[in-house]
Amino acid sequence: MYSNKIEGPRRGRSFDSMNIGFEEKLLNNEINKSTFTKIEENSEKNAPQKGRATIIFSLKNEVGGLVKALKLFQENHVNLVHIESRKSKRRNSEFEIFVDCDSNHEQLNEIIQLLRKHVNVVDMEPPDNSCLQEEDMYNVPWFPKKISDLDKCANRVLMYGSELDADHPGFKDNVYRKRRKYFADLAMAYKHGDPIPRIEFTEEEVKTWGVVYRELNKLYPTHACREYLKNLPLLSKYCECREDNIPQLEDVSRFLRERTGFTIRPVAGYLSPRDFLAGLAFRVFHCTQYVRHSSDPLYTPEPDTCHELLGHVPLLAEPSFAQFSQEIGLASLGASDDSVQKLATCYFFTVEFGLCKQEGQLRAYGAGLLSSISELKHALSGNARIMPFDPKVTSKQECIITTFQDVYFVSDSFEEAKVKMREFAKTIKRPFTVRYNPYTQSVDVLKDTPSINSVVEELRHELDIVGDALSRLNKQLGV
């Protein structure tokens, strides 16, 4: 709980008992520009135990760097107890900031990961209530714990957004570039809980969408998997997905929420694998809202709304596929960079370019195939190289985004792929596992006996419900 009292962090004397010089005056000036909310002590019995932690960091050469750094403590609900400045022991031209705070290991780990973007962390001392298990968590990369935490990573766009490469079809089209900036600004301003802005698409955008929609629908009956064919008409029924109309993301998000619990979040462009997969863990799909350039409707160097709506959405409405996608996301939380890359590669060759067998025929379920006329034909032509999906093998395959894939991976069903991915996820080295809580839209970190016991109690309750249902069914059947 927050206190209504607002106060700045207190400042002590320098470590070296120096007189206040220019650096310390600068520190005071920057601190006075910002206020920090004092966090009251949480008296709940099950709250994480806190202790006094120390962080020492030096500022990078950027204006307002200290204010940015200290605001991170406020935003993450960490109470600053003491703050000082001192001459750097490494470089006389720099000064270091010493921060004393009330923190548990989880908060400390989170704040360190965020601080590294703005400062150079010199040293740190964990809370004095540390234990071996908490120390194991110390080097785990930051990851969102609740769905609103996605606000912290959804705007870290790596490619495109409002900026286009020189070889992009719309690079020289100033009108298109201005339109792209409009979409990027909408996505950047979006926060969890906001309604997704409704777009008035231009006549040219609708025409481009129409060409893609019409040509792909000619191939779907003979190339798409049965789950896709079952759900595509529902998108037309509930979201007005037609050749002459581009569905609104807010309508699509509402449709998916009712079908599988997935929701849509607008995004400006490419995210890192870690940030994108983190969204899937919360059943959130980061979705672009812009349309590809009209000069070549059947080609796009990046995901656009044609790819998202025609490629991904119909299968995100399928419960087994939705769970498969979420489990890849959950496996990525807190994993190493190498493990995240392997998971992202498996995602690429399944959710984006996956094939399955149905009635003895190859069918596509990957969104990259189902939104690309030429590659969809190629993958099922009989000339493409096909291999059985095996995460250990697939995770080492090179992902190609400029031409057709060298190889495609096939599964007998989503369930088979899901089982294989679960076993693969168990090989990822983490000092914990995670479980999604749909009631609070958060992830429970299972790393000790109390957290595991809590899950066991919930499972007992669920099994009791199942037992009661079976008992009533047996009575009806006279068993």
Side-chain angles (χ1 to χ4, degrees):
M1 181 181 293
Y2 289 99
S3 168
N4 291 327
K5 182 180 178 181
I6 306 295
E7 62 180 34
R10 291 172 295 168
R11 187 185 176 286
R13 295 190 56 81
S14 165
F15 285 171
D16 300 322
S17 300
M18 298 172 61
N19 292 327
I20 296 177
F22 172 76
E23 294 89 350
E24 294 188 304
K25 291 180 181 178
L26 177 62
L27 173 60
N28 279 326
N29 289 338
E30 290 206 315
I31 291 176
N32 289 334
K33 295 176 184 176
S34 180
T35 58
F36 301 89
T37 305
K38 181 177 177 64
I39 310 301
E40 292 185 341
E41 181 180 355
N42 189 338
S43 60
E44 296 181 8
K45 294 181 180 179
N46 59 351
Q49 188 179 1
K50 292 187 176 183
R52 185 67 55 83
T54 300
I55 304 174
I56 303 173
F57 58 88
S58 63
L59 298 175
K60 294 181 179 180
N61 187 22
E62 64 174 319
V63 177
L66 181 58
V67 171
K68 292 178 183 177
L70 294 181
K71 282 194 71 175
L72 291 173
F73 290 86
Q74 175 197 15
E75 292 168 354
N76 287 272
H77 308 164
V78 176
N79 183 36
L80 297 181
V81 178
H82 185 76
I83 180 170
E84 292 185 6
S85 68
R86 71 177 184 187
K87 278 282 187 180
S88 173
K89 295 180 179 179
R90 301 175 306 155
R91 297 179 182 174
N92 291 330
S93 60
E94 294 181 355
F95 66 95
E96 294 172 346
I97 308 301
F98 170 92
V99 173
D100 233 345
C101 58
D102 286 334
S103 171
N104 57 49
H105 269 281
E106 184 174 350
Q107 284 180 314
L108 185 62
N109 182 49
E110 203 165 303
I111 201 75
I112 289 297
Q113 296 293 332
L114 295 172
L115 274 174
R116 292 188 192 280
K117 301 173 187 176
H118 301 287
V119 303
N120 298 310
V121 177
V122 178
D123 195 13
M124 66 197 84
E125 295 179 11
D128 51 19
N129 63 340
S130 62
C131 63
L132 179 61
Q133 190 174 36
E134 292 288 356
E135 289 172 359
D136 287 341
M137 294 284 292
Y138 194 73
N139 294 318
V140 172
W142 178 87
F143 61 89
K145 306 295 193 309
K146 53 185 184 293
I147 194 169
S148 59
D149 285 346
L150 295 178
D151 288 344
K152 300 177 182 179
C153 54
N155 290 339
R156 300 197 288 227
V157 178
L158 300 182
M159 290 176 61
Y160 299 115
S162 61
E163 300 298 324
L164 306 179
D165 288 345
D167 59 352
H168 191 285
F171 179 74
K172 297 181 180 180
D173 186 339
N174 290 330
V175 174
Y176 182 78
R177 290 172 68 95
K178 183 178 180 180
R179 183 68 167 166
R180 285 293 295 268
K181 185 179 186 307
Y182 167 74
F183 284 112
D185 290 345
L186 288 180
M188 290 292 190
Y190 180 85
K191 298 296 182 184
H192 170 69
D194 293 347
I196 302 175
R198 306 187 83 84
I199 303 298
E200 185 175 342
F201 290 100
T202 66
E203 182 178 344
E204 185 176 34
E205 288 168 339
V206 175
K207 183 179 179 180
T208 299
W209 157 272
V211 172
V212 179
Y213 182 95
R214 183 173 60 252
E215 294 303 315
L216 283 171
N217 270 271
K218 294 176 182 177
L219 295 177
Y220 288 154
T222 55
H223 289 66
C225 66
R226 72 170 74 93
E227 292 83 358
Y228 183 94
L229 296 175
K230 178 184 73 175
N231 290 323
L232 184 60
L234 299 179
L235 195 59
S236 300
K237 180 179 180 180
Y238 295 105
C239 305
E240 299 186 57
C241 180
R242 305 187 306 269
E243 182 179 334
D244 63 348
N245 185 70
I246 304 174
Q248 296 292 331
L249 292 191
E250 179 66 21
D251 296 338
V252 173
S253 187
R254 187 182 303 112
F255 164 71
L256 288 178
R257 185 186 297 112
E258 294 177 357
R259 298 285 299 181
T260 61
F262 253 89
T263 57
I264 297 294
R265 180 179 179 121
V267 68
Y270 275 112
L271 295 176
S272 71
R274 185 181 295 280
D275 290 340
F276 179 80
L277 294 181
L280 297 180
F282 297 86
R283 296 210 172 200
V284 171
F285 184 76
H286 289 88
C287 187
T288 55
Q289 210 166 7
Y290 52 80
V291 180
R292 63 192 64 183
H293 195 260
S294 61
S295 62
D296 190 355
L298 303 184
Y299 167 77
T300 177
E302 60 188 319
D304 73 332
T305 201
C306 302
H307 166 77
E308 316 282 34
L309 296 177
L310 293 175
H312 283 286
V313 169
L315 282 173
L316 285 174
E318 185 66 26
S320 60
F321 184 83
Q323 186 176 11
F324 173 71
S325 299
Q326 182 184 29
E327 290 193 10
I328 295 179
L330 288 169
S332 75
L333 299 181
S336 66
D337 291 343
D338 180 64
S339 294
V340 168
Q341 188 57 53
K342 289 179 179 179
L343 290 167
T345 302
C346 287
Y347 176 91
F348 185 86
F349 283 107
T350 52
V351 178
E352 291 289 353
F353 290 94
L355 299 174
C356 61
K357 289 181 181 178
Q358 295 181 343
E359 286 81 43
Q361 301 292 321
L362 282 180
R363 291 291 182 265
Y365 70 87
L369 295 175
L370 292 168
S371 60
S372 170
I373 295 167
S374 57
E375 190 155 11
L376 181 56
K377 290 179 178 178
H378 167 71
L380 274 66
S381 66
N383 298 321
R385 184 184 172 205
I386 309 294
M387 292 179 61
F389 174 61
D390 177 353
K392 293 180 181 178
V393 176
T394 304
S395 63
K396 299 176 183 178
Q397 181 64 36
E398 180 185 3
C399 303
I400 302 174
I401 61 174
T402 54
T403 61
F404 296 161
Q405 301 306 311
D406 291 335
V407 60
Y408 301 91
F409 294 89
V410 61
S411 300
D412 287 336
S413 67
F414 299 144
E415 289 300 320
E416 180 198 54
K418 187 162 55 181
V419 170
K420 289 182 177 180
M421 279 304 303
R422 281 177 181 167
E423 292 304 311
F424 182 68
K426 292 176 184 177
T427 67
I428 294 175
K429 294 181 179 180
R430 293 186 299 188
F432 60 89
T433 191
V434 295
R435 173 177 177 266
Y436 180 65
N437 186 329
Y439 304 111
T440 59
Q441 293 185 296
S442 61
V443 290
D444 300 325
V445 179
L446 309 182
K447 58 184 177 62
D448 51 29
T449 303
S451 60
I452 295 172
N453 284 341
S454 177
V455 174
V456 171
E457 288 303 314
E458 290 185 31
L459 291 176
R460 283 175 178 164
H461 175 65
E462 297 295 326
L463 288 173
D464 185 55
I465 294 174
V466 173
D468 180 56
L470 289 173
S471 177
R472 292 172 186 271
L473 179 60
N474 287 339
K475 289 180 181 179
Q476 290 180 7
L477 297 175
V479 178

